Coordinates of all heavy atoms in Angstrom, one line a residue:
M1 N 194.0 1.6 -32.9 CA 194.8 1.8 -34.1 C 196.1 2.4 -33.8 O 196.2 3.4 -33.0 CB 194.0 2.7 -35.1 CG 194.7 2.9 -36.4 SD 194.6 1.5 -37.6 CE 192.9 1.5 -37.9
T2 N 197.2 1.9 -34.3 CA 198.5 2.5 -34.1 C 199.1 2.9 -35.4 O 199.0 2.2 -36.4 CB 199.5 1.5 -33.4 OG1 198.9 1.1 -32.1 CG2 200.8 2.1 -33.1
Y3 N 199.7 4.1 -35.5 CA 200.4 4.6 -36.7 C 201.9 4.5 -36.5 O 202.3 4.9 -35.4 CB 199.9 6.0 -37.0 CG 198.4 6.1 -37.2 CD1 197.5 6.4 -36.2 CD2 197.8 5.8 -38.5 CE1 196.2 6.5 -36.4 CE2 196.5 5.8 -38.6 CZ 195.6 6.2 -37.6 OH 194.3 6.2 -37.8
V4 N 202.6 4.1 -37.5 CA 204.0 4.1 -37.4 C 204.6 4.9 -38.6 O 204.2 4.7 -39.7 CB 204.5 2.6 -37.5 CG1 206.0 2.6 -37.4 CG2 203.9 1.8 -36.4
I5 N 205.5 5.8 -38.3 CA 206.2 6.5 -39.3 C 207.7 6.2 -39.2 O 208.2 6.2 -38.1 CB 205.9 8.0 -39.3 CG1 206.3 8.7 -38.0 CG2 204.5 8.3 -39.6 CD1 206.1 10.2 -38.0
T6 N 208.3 5.9 -40.4 CA 209.7 5.5 -40.4 C 210.5 6.1 -41.4 O 210.0 6.5 -42.5 CB 209.8 3.9 -40.6 OG1 209.2 3.6 -41.8 CG2 209.1 3.1 -39.5
K7 N 211.8 6.3 -41.2 CA 212.7 6.8 -42.2 C 214.1 6.4 -41.7 O 214.6 6.7 -40.7 CB 212.6 8.3 -42.2 CG 213.6 8.9 -43.3 CD 213.5 10.4 -43.3 CE 214.4 11.0 -44.4 NZ 214.3 12.5 -44.4
R8 N 214.8 5.6 -42.6 CA 216.1 5.2 -42.3 C 216.4 4.7 -40.9 O 217.3 5.1 -40.3 CB 217.1 6.3 -42.7 CG 217.1 6.7 -44.1 CD 218.2 7.7 -44.4 NE 218.0 8.3 -45.7 CZ 218.5 9.5 -46.0 NH1 219.2 10.2 -45.2 NH2 218.3 9.9 -47.3
G9 N 215.6 3.8 -40.4 CA 215.8 3.2 -39.1 C 215.2 4.0 -38.0 O 215.1 3.5 -36.8
K10 N 214.8 5.2 -38.2 CA 214.2 6.1 -37.2 C 212.7 5.8 -37.2 O 212.0 5.8 -38.2 CB 214.4 7.5 -37.5 CG 214.2 8.4 -36.3 CD 214.7 9.8 -36.6 CE 214.6 10.7 -35.4 NZ 215.1 12.0 -35.6
V11 N 212.1 5.5 -36.0 CA 210.7 5.0 -35.9 C 210.0 5.8 -34.9 O 210.5 6.1 -33.8 CB 210.6 3.5 -35.6 CG1 209.2 3.1 -35.4 CG2 211.4 2.7 -36.6
H12 N 208.7 6.2 -35.2 CA 207.8 6.9 -34.3 C 206.5 6.0 -34.3 O 206.0 5.8 -35.3 CB 207.5 8.3 -34.7 CG 208.6 9.3 -34.6 ND1 209.0 9.9 -33.5 CD2 209.4 9.8 -35.6 CE1 210.0 10.7 -33.7 NE2 210.3 10.6 -35.0
K13 N 206.1 5.6 -33.1 CA 204.8 4.9 -33.0 C 203.8 5.8 -32.3 O 204.1 6.3 -31.2 CB 205.0 3.6 -32.1 CG 205.7 2.5 -32.9 CD 205.8 1.2 -32.1 CE 206.5 0.2 -32.8 NZ 206.6 -1.1 -32.1
L14 N 202.7 6.0 -33.0 CA 201.7 7.0 -32.5 C 200.4 6.4 -32.4 O 200.0 5.6 -33.2 CB 201.7 8.2 -33.5 CG 203.0 8.8 -33.9 CD1 202.9 9.7 -35.1 CD2 203.6 9.6 -32.8
K15 N 199.6 6.8 -31.4 CA 198.3 6.3 -31.1 C 197.2 7.1 -31.9 O 196.1 6.6 -32.1 CB 198.0 6.3 -29.6 CG 198.9 5.4 -28.8 CD 198.5 4.0 -29.0 CE 199.3 3.1 -28.2 NZ 199.1 1.7 -28.4
E16 N 197.5 8.4 -32.2 CA 196.4 9.2 -32.8 C 196.9 9.7 -34.2 O 198.0 10.1 -34.4 CB 196.1 10.4 -31.9 CG 195.5 10.1 -30.6 CD 195.2 11.3 -29.8 OE1 194.9 12.4 -30.4 OE2 195.1 11.2 -28.5
F17 N 196.0 9.7 -35.1 CA 196.2 10.1 -36.5 C 196.8 11.6 -36.5 O 197.7 11.8 -37.2 CB 195.0 10.0 -37.3 CG 195.2 10.5 -38.8 CD1 195.7 9.6 -39.7 CD2 194.9 11.7 -39.2 CE1 196.0 10.0 -41.0 CE2 195.1 12.1 -40.5 CZ 195.6 11.2 -41.4
R18 N 196.2 12.5 -35.7 CA 196.6 13.9 -35.8 C 198.1 14.1 -35.3 O 198.7 15.1 -35.6 CB 195.7 14.7 -35.0 CG 195.6 14.4 -33.5 CD 194.6 15.4 -32.8 NE 194.5 14.9 -31.4 CZ 193.4 15.1 -30.7 NH1 192.4 15.6 -31.2 NH2 193.4 14.6 -29.5
S19 N 198.6 13.1 -34.5 CA 200.0 13.2 -34.1 C 201.0 13.0 -35.2 O 202.1 13.6 -35.1 CB 200.3 12.1 -33.0 OG 199.4 12.2 -31.9
I20 N 200.6 12.4 -36.3 CA 201.5 12.2 -37.4 C 201.9 13.5 -38.0 O 203.1 13.8 -38.2 CB 200.8 11.3 -38.5 CG1 200.4 9.9 -38.0 CG2 201.7 11.2 -39.8 CD1 199.5 9.1 -39.0
Q21 N 200.9 14.4 -38.2 CA 201.2 15.7 -38.7 C 202.2 16.5 -37.8 O 203.2 17.1 -38.3 CB 199.9 16.5 -38.9 CG 200.1 17.9 -39.5 CD 198.8 18.7 -39.5 OE1 197.8 18.2 -39.1 NE2 198.8 19.9 -40.0
A22 N 202.0 16.5 -36.6 CA 202.9 17.2 -35.6 C 204.3 16.6 -35.6 O 205.3 17.4 -35.7 CB 202.3 17.1 -34.2
V23 N 204.4 15.3 -35.7 CA 205.8 14.7 -35.7 C 206.5 15.0 -37.0 O 207.7 15.4 -37.0 CB 205.7 13.2 -35.4 CG1 207.0 12.5 -35.7 CG2 205.2 12.9 -34.0
L24 N 205.8 14.9 -38.1 CA 206.4 15.2 -39.4 C 206.8 16.7 -39.5 O 207.9 17.0 -40.1 CB 205.5 14.9 -40.6 CG 205.3 13.4 -40.8 CD1 204.2 13.1 -41.9 CD2 206.6 12.7 -41.1
K25 N 206.0 17.6 -39.0 CA 206.3 19.0 -38.9 C 207.6 19.2 -38.2 O 208.5 19.9 -38.6 CB 205.2 19.9 -38.3 CG 204.1 20.3 -39.2 CD 203.2 21.2 -38.4 CE 202.1 21.7 -39.2 NZ 201.1 22.6 -38.5
A26 N 207.7 18.6 -37.0 CA 208.9 18.7 -36.2 C 210.2 18.1 -36.8 O 211.2 18.7 -36.8 CB 208.7 18.0 -34.8
E27 N 210.0 17.0 -37.5 CA 211.1 16.3 -38.1 C 211.6 17.0 -39.3 O 212.8 17.0 -39.6 CB 210.8 14.8 -38.4 CG 210.6 13.9 -37.2 CD 212.0 13.5 -36.6 OE1 213.0 13.8 -37.2 OE2 211.9 12.8 -35.6
T28 N 210.7 17.5 -40.1 CA 211.1 18.1 -41.4 C 211.2 19.6 -41.4 O 211.9 20.1 -42.3 CB 210.1 17.7 -42.5 OG1 208.8 18.3 -42.2 CG2 209.9 16.2 -42.7
G29 N 210.6 20.2 -40.5 CA 210.6 21.7 -40.4 C 209.7 22.3 -41.5 O 209.8 23.5 -41.8
L30 N 208.9 21.5 -42.1 CA 208.0 21.9 -43.2 C 206.6 22.1 -42.7 O 206.2 21.4 -41.8 CB 208.1 21.0 -44.4 CG 209.5 20.8 -45.1 CD1 209.4 19.7 -46.1 CD2 209.9 22.1 -45.7
P31 N 205.8 22.9 -43.4 CA 204.4 23.1 -43.0 C 203.5 21.9 -43.5 O 202.7 22.1 -44.4 CB 204.0 24.4 -43.6 CG 204.8 24.5 -44.9 CD 206.1 23.8 -44.5
I32 N 203.6 20.7 -42.9 CA 202.9 19.6 -43.3 C 201.4 19.8 -42.9 O 201.1 20.2 -41.8 CB 203.4 18.3 -42.6 CG1 204.9 18.1 -42.9 CG2 202.6 17.1 -43.0 CD1 205.3 17.9 -44.3
K33 N 200.5 19.5 -43.9 CA 199.1 19.6 -43.6 C 198.4 18.3 -43.5 O 198.9 17.2 -44.0 CB 198.4 20.4 -44.8 CG 199.1 21.7 -45.1 CD 198.8 22.7 -44.0 CE 199.3 24.1 -44.4 NZ 199.4 25.0 -43.3
T34 N 197.3 18.2 -42.9 CA 196.5 17.0 -42.7 C 196.2 16.3 -44.0 O 196.4 15.1 -44.1 CB 195.2 17.2 -41.9 OG1 195.5 17.9 -40.6 CG2 194.5 15.9 -41.6
W35 N 195.8 17.0 -45.0 CA 195.5 16.4 -46.3 C 196.7 15.8 -46.9 O 196.5 14.8 -47.6 CB 194.8 17.4 -47.2 CG 195.7 18.5 -47.7 CD1 195.9 19.8 -47.2 CD2 196.6 18.5 -48.8 NE1 196.8 20.5 -47.9 CE2 197.3 19.7 -48.9 CE3 197.0 17.5 -49.8 CZ2 198.2 20.0 -49.9 CZ3 197.9 17.8 -50.7 CH2 198.5 19.1 -50.8
M36 N 197.9 16.3 -46.6 CA 199.1 15.7 -47.2 C 199.3 14.3 -46.6 O 199.7 13.3 -47.3 CB 200.3 16.5 -46.9 CG 200.3 17.9 -47.6 SD 201.8 18.8 -47.0 CE 201.6 20.3 -47.9
V37 N 199.1 14.2 -45.3 CA 199.2 12.9 -44.6 C 198.2 11.9 -45.1 O 198.5 10.7 -45.4 CB 199.0 13.1 -43.1 CG1 199.1 11.7 -42.3 CG2 200.1 14.0 -42.5
E38 N 196.9 12.4 -45.3 CA 195.8 11.5 -45.8 C 196.1 11.0 -47.2 O 196.0 9.8 -47.5 CB 194.5 12.3 -45.8 CG 194.0 12.5 -44.4 CD 192.8 13.5 -44.3 OE1 192.5 14.1 -45.4 OE2 192.2 13.6 -43.3
E39 N 196.6 11.9 -48.1 CA 196.9 11.5 -49.4 C 198.1 10.5 -49.5 O 198.1 9.6 -50.2 CB 197.3 12.8 -50.3 CG 196.1 13.6 -50.6 CD 195.2 13.0 -51.7 OE1 195.7 12.5 -52.7 OE2 194.0 13.1 -51.5
S40 N 199.1 10.8 -48.7 CA 200.2 9.9 -48.6 C 199.8 8.5 -48.2 O 200.3 7.5 -48.8 CB 201.2 10.5 -47.6 OG 202.3 9.5 -47.4
M41 N 198.9 8.4 -47.2 CA 198.5 7.1 -46.8 C 197.6 6.4 -47.8 O 197.8 5.2 -48.1 CB 197.7 7.2 -45.4 CG 198.7 7.5 -44.3 SD 197.8 7.7 -42.7 CE 197.5 5.9 -42.4
Q42 N 196.8 7.1 -48.5 CA 195.9 6.5 -49.5 C 196.7 6.0 -50.7 O 196.3 4.9 -51.2 CB 194.9 7.5 -50.0 CG 193.7 7.8 -49.0 CD 192.8 8.9 -49.6 OE1 193.0 9.5 -50.6 NE2 191.7 9.1 -48.9
H43 N 197.7 6.7 -51.1 CA 198.5 6.3 -52.3 C 199.8 5.6 -51.9 O 200.6 5.4 -52.8 CB 198.7 7.5 -53.1 CG 197.4 8.2 -53.6 ND1 196.5 7.6 -54.5 CD2 196.9 9.4 -53.2 CE1 195.5 8.4 -54.6 NE2 195.7 9.5 -53.9
H44 N 200.0 5.3 -50.7 CA 201.2 4.5 -50.2 C 202.5 5.3 -50.7 O 203.4 4.7 -51.2 CB 201.2 3.1 -50.7 CG 200.0 2.3 -50.3 ND1 199.7 1.9 -49.0 CD2 198.9 2.0 -51.0 CE1 198.6 1.3 -49.0 NE2 198.0 1.3 -50.2
Q45 N 202.5 6.6 -50.5 CA 203.6 7.4 -50.8 C 204.3 7.9 -49.5 O 203.8 7.7 -48.5 CB 203.2 8.6 -51.6 CG 202.6 8.2 -53.0 CD 202.0 9.4 -53.7 OE1 201.7 10.5 -53.1 NE2 201.9 9.3 -55.0
T46 N 205.5 8.4 -49.7 CA 206.2 9.0 -48.6 C 206.1 10.5 -48.5 O 205.8 11.1 -49.5 CB 207.7 8.6 -48.6 OG1 208.3 9.2 -49.8 CG2 207.9 7.1 -48.6
I47 N 206.4 11.1 -47.3 CA 206.4 12.5 -47.2 C 207.9 12.8 -46.7 O 208.3 12.4 -45.7 CB 205.4 13.0 -46.1 CG1 204.0 12.8 -46.6 CG2 205.7 14.5 -45.9 CD1 203.0 13.3 -45.6
C48 N 208.6 13.4 -47.6 CA 210.0 13.8 -47.3 C 210.8 12.5 -46.9 O 211.6 12.6 -46.0 CB 210.1 14.9 -46.3 SG 209.5 16.4 -46.8
G49 N 210.5 11.4 -47.5 CA 211.2 10.1 -47.1 C 210.6 9.4 -46.0 O 211.0 8.3 -45.7
W50 N 209.6 9.9 -45.3 CA 209.0 9.3 -44.2 C 207.8 8.4 -44.7 O 207.0 8.9 -45.5 CB 208.4 10.3 -43.2 CG 209.5 11.0 -42.4 CD1 210.1 12.1 -42.7 CD2 210.0 10.5 -41.2 NE1 211.0 12.5 -41.8 CE2 211.0 11.5 -40.8 CE3 209.8 9.4 -40.4 CZ2 211.8 11.4 -39.7 CZ3 210.6 9.3 -39.2 CH2 211.6 10.3 -38.9
T51 N 207.8 7.1 -44.3 CA 206.8 6.2 -44.7 C 205.8 6.1 -43.5 O 206.2 5.9 -42.4 CB 207.4 4.8 -44.9 OG1 208.3 4.9 -46.0 CG2 206.3 3.8 -45.4
I52 N 204.5 6.2 -43.8 CA 203.4 6.1 -42.8 C 202.7 4.8 -43.0 O 202.2 4.4 -44.1 CB 202.4 7.3 -43.0 CG1 203.2 8.6 -43.0 CG2 201.4 7.2 -41.9 CD1 202.3 9.8 -43.4
S53 N 202.5 4.1 -41.9 CA 201.8 2.8 -41.9 C 200.8 2.7 -40.8 O 201.0 3.4 -39.7 CB 202.8 1.6 -41.7 OG 203.9 1.7 -42.6
E54 N 199.8 1.9 -41.0 CA 198.7 1.7 -40.0 C 198.9 0.3 -39.5 O 199.1 -0.6 -40.2 CB 197.3 1.8 -40.5 CG 196.8 3.2 -40.8 CD 195.4 3.1 -41.4 OE1 194.5 3.1 -40.5 OE2 195.3 3.1 -42.6
I55 N 198.8 0.1 -38.1 CA 198.8 -1.2 -37.6 C 197.5 -1.4 -36.8 O 197.2 -0.7 -35.9 CB 200.0 -1.4 -36.6 CG1 201.3 -1.2 -37.3 CG2 200.0 -2.7 -35.9 CD1 202.5 -1.2 -36.4
N56 N 196.8 -2.4 -37.2 CA 195.5 -2.8 -36.6 C 195.9 -3.8 -35.5 O 196.3 -4.9 -35.8 CB 194.5 -3.4 -37.5 CG 194.0 -2.4 -38.5 OD1 193.8 -1.3 -38.2 ND2 193.8 -2.8 -39.7
A57 N 195.7 -3.4 -34.2 CA 196.0 -4.3 -33.1 C 194.8 -5.3 -33.0 O 193.7 -4.9 -32.7 CB 196.2 -3.5 -31.8
K58 N 195.1 -6.5 -33.1 CA 194.1 -7.6 -33.0 C 194.4 -8.4 -31.7 O 195.6 -8.8 -31.6 CB 194.0 -8.5 -34.2 CG 193.5 -7.8 -35.4 CD 193.4 -8.7 -36.6 CE 192.9 -8.0 -37.8 NZ 192.8 -8.8 -39.0
K59 N 193.4 -8.6 -30.9 CA 193.7 -9.3 -29.7 C 193.5 -10.8 -30.0 O 192.5 -11.2 -30.7 CB 192.7 -8.9 -28.6 CG 192.9 -7.5 -28.1 CD 191.9 -7.2 -27.0 CE 192.1 -5.7 -26.6 NZ 191.1 -5.3 -25.5
S60 N 194.4 -11.6 -29.5 CA 194.3 -13.0 -29.7 C 193.4 -13.6 -28.6 O 193.5 -13.2 -27.5 CB 195.7 -13.7 -29.8 OG 196.3 -13.5 -28.5
V61 N 192.7 -14.6 -29.0 CA 191.8 -15.3 -28.0 C 192.4 -16.7 -27.7 O 192.6 -17.5 -28.6 CB 190.4 -15.4 -28.6 CG1 189.5 -16.2 -27.6 CG2 189.8 -14.1 -28.9
N62 N 192.6 -16.9 -26.5 CA 193.1 -18.2 -26.1 C 192.0 -19.1 -25.6 O 191.2 -18.7 -24.7 CB 194.2 -18.1 -24.9 CG 195.4 -17.4 -25.4 OD1 195.8 -17.4 -26.6 ND2 196.0 -16.7 -24.5
N63 N 191.9 -20.3 -26.2 CA 190.8 -21.2 -25.8 C 191.3 -22.3 -24.9 O 192.4 -22.8 -25.0 CB 190.2 -21.9 -27.1 CG 189.4 -20.9 -27.9 OD1 189.0 -19.9 -27.4 ND2 189.2 -21.2 -29.1

């Protein structure tokens, strides 16, 4: 699973869910909590203008 957070052309691709919180804390300077990230993802909302997306990597099979 890969997580992508974006804001106005700035993009962070992260491999671990817990990294989202750390990056948002660094970018915003606010005390972002894990529950905030979870709620934002569930309701497709942004945190301080940052959009969080999940990318499911699917391997293609060549026959």
Side-chain angles (χ1 to χ4, degrees):
M1 183 78 64
T2 300
Y3 300 94
V4 179
I5 57 175
T6 58
K7 180 179 182 181
R8 295 186 191 158
K10 196 169 188 181
V11 178
H12 293 279
K13 289 186 179 180
L14 309 166
K15 295 285 183 188
E16 295 184 25
F17 181 81
R18 64 180 174 211
S19 300
I20 298 170
Q21 179 185 1
V23 171
L24 289 175
K25 274 184 178 180
E27 288 285 354
T28 64
L30 298 172
I32 305 296
K33 305 292 183 192
T34 303
W35 67 265
M36 294 174 178
V37 175
E38 291 170 350
E39 287 287 318
S40 173
M41 290 181 72
Q42 284 179 352
H43 300 292
H44 305 288
Q45 297 173 337
T46 62
I47 296 179
C48 296
W50 288 91
T51 303
I52 305 167
S53 307
E54 284 181 88
I55 298 175
N56 291 321
K58 293 183 180 179
K59 295 180 180 180
S60 60
V61 178
N62 295 331
N63 290 338

